[in-house]
Each structure stands twice: as C-alpha cells, then as structure tokens.
Amino acid sequence: MPDVLSKAETEPDEDPARFNRRRLVRWLAILTIGTLTMVACWQDPLYP
C-alpha cells in the first residue's frame, strides 16, 4: 500500500535563483505581447 502522507514531487528542485529560465521566458512573452499591442493601437486608434 502506498504511503499517502508522502508528497510526490513533480518537478526537480531548482536553485533559489532570482531569474530562472521559465520566469525569463514568461516575462519576455508578456513584454512582447504588450509592446505589440501598444504598437497596434498607435497605428490604428480605436477612436474615430
């Protein structure tokens, strides 16, 4: 019978780094989408 009190870890432990690869990719995606959205609004404004 499996031990139900043990915590199954799905990801390996990482260093307590301030910027790991996953966080960096997430921030780059957010900044890229935000920049493209702002450029699109400046090119074709929503107001008449």
Side-chain angles (χ1 to χ4, degrees):
M1 186 162 132
D3 187 7
V4 293
L5 296 178
S6 64
K7 177 182 168 188
E9 294 185 15
T10 57
E11 295 183 7
D13 291 336
E14 295 181 358
D15 297 340
R18 189 168 177 102
F19 289 108
N20 55 14
R21 180 177 292 239
R22 182 175 291 168
R23 183 176 291 177
L24 183 63
V25 168
R26 186 182 303 142
W27 274 104
L28 285 177
I30 291 170
L31 290 175
T32 303
I33 292 170
T35 303
L36 290 176
T37 302
M38 289 187 65
V39 169
C41 287
W42 282 338
Q43 294 295 325
D44 190 20
L46 296 176
Y47 54 86

